[in-house]
Amino acid sequence: MTNPVQAPALVELKAVNKHYGALHVLQDINLQVKKGEVVVVIGPSGSGKSTLCRTINRLETIDDGSITIEGKELPKEGKDLATLRADVGMVFQSFNLFAHKTILENVTLGPIKVKGVSKADADKQALALLERVGVGHQSAKLPAQLSGGQQQRVAIARALAMKPKVMLFDEPTSALDPEMINEVLDVMVELAKEGMTMVVVTHEMGFARKAGDRVVFMADGQIVEEATPDEFFTNPQSARAKDFLSKILAN
Amino acid sequence: MNVITDNSDLFVTGFKNTGILFVISAFFALILGTIVAGMRVSPAPAMRAAGTLYVNAVRNTPLTLILAFFALGYPRLGLPHIDFMNAAIVGLSLYTATYVSEAIRSGINTVSVGQSEAARAIGLPFMQTLTLIVLPQAFRSVLPPLFSVFIALLKNTTVAAGFSVAEAGAIRANLSERGEPLLPGLLWVAVIFVVLVLGILTPLQRYLEKKWRVER
């Protein structure tokens, strides 16, 4: 890089705090995600990792601190917030495909309504995306007619249709039957290879090793450890991480 | 049988007016009720408060009082004149909309929060999230209570008879003036109401439930 000033992180969280009543669910969180980076957030349940992920497109509000995307503070509400969310793709644990719309409509809705793309162009793009995630022939069906793995791949296509700058994955394989996990992970690995900036909350250590640039380990609302996947899995520093890894690697 | 054939003019005018009252009031109640339900789930506190105030104020007032206000109180306010029929439509619409709103709001609560989160996550603002994603799904689950509200509206139109609207509820009074026996007349009115509900509203409900059935 010729520019001596470091480029701002694509996503940056500074001193973020959040409480649910008495529970301090995010404690002084600082995190930077650079363009093209794949950050995998792992940790025991209740550690705040999903909440962290959801604050990045403000599905969860924060009490204090700041979250910026491309250097711009997240808008509080209204049209500005909607505009920002269009640039931040999100994939949920429970897929959340629009139950009353066909697979194709699920993918074209955002481009047509939010970006003003014509229906013909949106359809074309959506079919190509559905093809890419391997559900091209299902486009006329309703979400309930698809398997969980297929639904989640459609959800990824729906998010990609907005051409997001960053994709958030909130435990994307946790609600899937074991035999369907890989079909979703394969799509995600593919995305990572293509240079998509991703924040992935997951229990899939295999994915973290294969596609992650950095592992962020959270426990009790704090970021306890940050390292490359290799470092983290072979030589965890904190006792909390060692304990966590010993439990999951035992099975 | 003679009662209805001898006085067919009364029955025809009566039920024609009942039909007009019902269809127009149902139309406005559905629109207003949907808007109010939307207000009550809005992110803006002022909208929520206004919606709640309206529902609580109007739903807890007897329909007779609301119609009495429009028939007897409103003309004294010096506002533009409206005839009894239109006054009854306004009163019935405002009253029924509160029930429609509550039925739809209960439907909105059955749509999983993930649906609106997904809509917000692709950049849809509140209004589009509501109209494109949440309401279409909410309507499907509230058809049975919504039709109960409309059946109640159909019968509530008879209250307007007390305020000089010549609808089906007024048939009885007119029959007595003509010296006809009361009981058969009343029975005929009741029978026609049952036929209207079973013959029109119930099949319509069944048709919509079938058409809008969604797999989850």
Side-chain angles (χ1 to χ4, degrees), chain A residues 57-116:
Chain A
N57 67 353
R58 216 178 152 79
L59 283 180
E60 297 282 352
T61 56
I62 56 175
D63 297 340
D64 51 66
S66 85
I67 301 179
T68 55
I69 292 186
E70 287 187 325
K72 279 186 291 240
E73 187 87 20
L74 284 193
K76 290 268 177 292
E77 56 195 21
K79 194 144 182 54
D80 293 343
L81 179 58
T83 309
L84 173 120
R85 282 179 175 147
D87 286 338
V88 179
M90 177 114 190
V91 176
F92 299 86
Q93 179 175 349
S94 47
F95 329 136
N96 295 342
L97 292 182
F98 305 131
H100 62 306
K101 299 214 172 272
T102 65
I103 296 307
L104 184 67
E105 288 167 344
N106 263 277
V107 182
T108 57
L109 186 76
I112 292 173
K113 298 291 177 184
V114 178
K115 297 203 151 174

Side-chain angles (χ1 to χ4, degrees), chain A residues 226-249:
Chain A
E226 269 187 78
T228 64
D230 259 359
E231 275 170 34
F232 179 76
F233 288 111
T234 54
N235 186 21
Q237 300 298 307
S238 62
R240 202 76 178 75
K242 282 176 191 162
D243 178 53
F244 176 75
L245 285 174
S246 72
K247 276 178 191 151
I248 53 155
L249 297 179

Side-chain angles (χ1 to χ4, degrees), chain A residues 25-215:
Chain A
V25 65
L26 293 179
Q27 303 178 20
D28 196 30
I29 299 289
N30 291 287
L31 180 69
Q32 290 200 349
V33 183
K34 293 191 200 70
K35 193 169 185 317
E37 200 178 15
V38 177
V39 173
V40 179
V41 185
I42 63 175
S45 54
S47 59
K49 54 192 192 307
S50 274
T51 308
L52 171 73
C53 184
R54 290 161 54 87
T55 59
I56 298 175
N57 67 353
R58 216 178 152 79
L59 283 180
E60 297 282 352
T61 56
I62 56 175
D63 297 340
D64 51 66
S66 85
I67 301 179
T68 55
I69 292 186
E70 287 187 325
K72 279 186 291 240
E73 187 87 20
L74 284 193
K76 290 268 177 292
E77 56 195 21
K79 194 144 182 54
D80 293 343
L81 179 58
T83 309
L84 173 120
R85 282 179 175 147
D87 286 338
V88 179
M90 177 114 190
V91 176
F92 299 86
Q93 179 175 349
S94 47
F95 329 136
N96 295 342
L97 292 182
F98 305 131
H100 62 306
K101 299 214 172 272
T102 65
I103 296 307
L104 184 67
E105 288 167 344
N106 263 277
V107 182
T108 57
L109 186 76
I112 292 173
K113 298 291 177 184
V114 178
K115 297 203 151 174
V117 175
S118 75
K119 190 179 176 312
D121 289 348
D123 281 355
K124 209 169 117 195
Q125 186 206 205
L127 285 170
L129 282 169
L130 288 170
E131 203 60 56
R132 182 169 146 198
V133 299
V135 285
H137 53 296
Q138 315 270 26
S139 64
K141 291 187 179 167
L142 286 171
Q145 295 169 295
L146 269 59
S147 74
Q150 290 171 328
Q151 289 193 49
Q152 193 61 301
R153 285 183 278 150
V154 173
I156 293 174
R158 175 175 67 181
L160 286 176
M162 299 302 291
K163 303 193 169 79
K165 293 173 180 149
V166 51
M167 290 270 285
L168 310 174
F169 293 83
D170 184 7
E171 302 203 23
T173 57
S174 299
L176 294 174
D177 292 336
E179 77 269 23
M180 294 172 182
I181 289 177
N182 279 331
E183 62 190 61
V184 172
L185 289 180
D186 289 346
V187 171
M188 290 167 59
V189 169
E190 209 48 47
L191 264 182
K193 276 189 194 150
E194 287 163 20
M196 175 61 76
T197 311
M198 294 161 70
V199 176
V200 183
V201 174
T202 187
H203 295 292
E204 294 299 324
M205 303 303 146
F207 174 81
R209 278 176 186 271
K210 202 190 288 183
D213 294 312
R214 187 153 44 107
V215 169

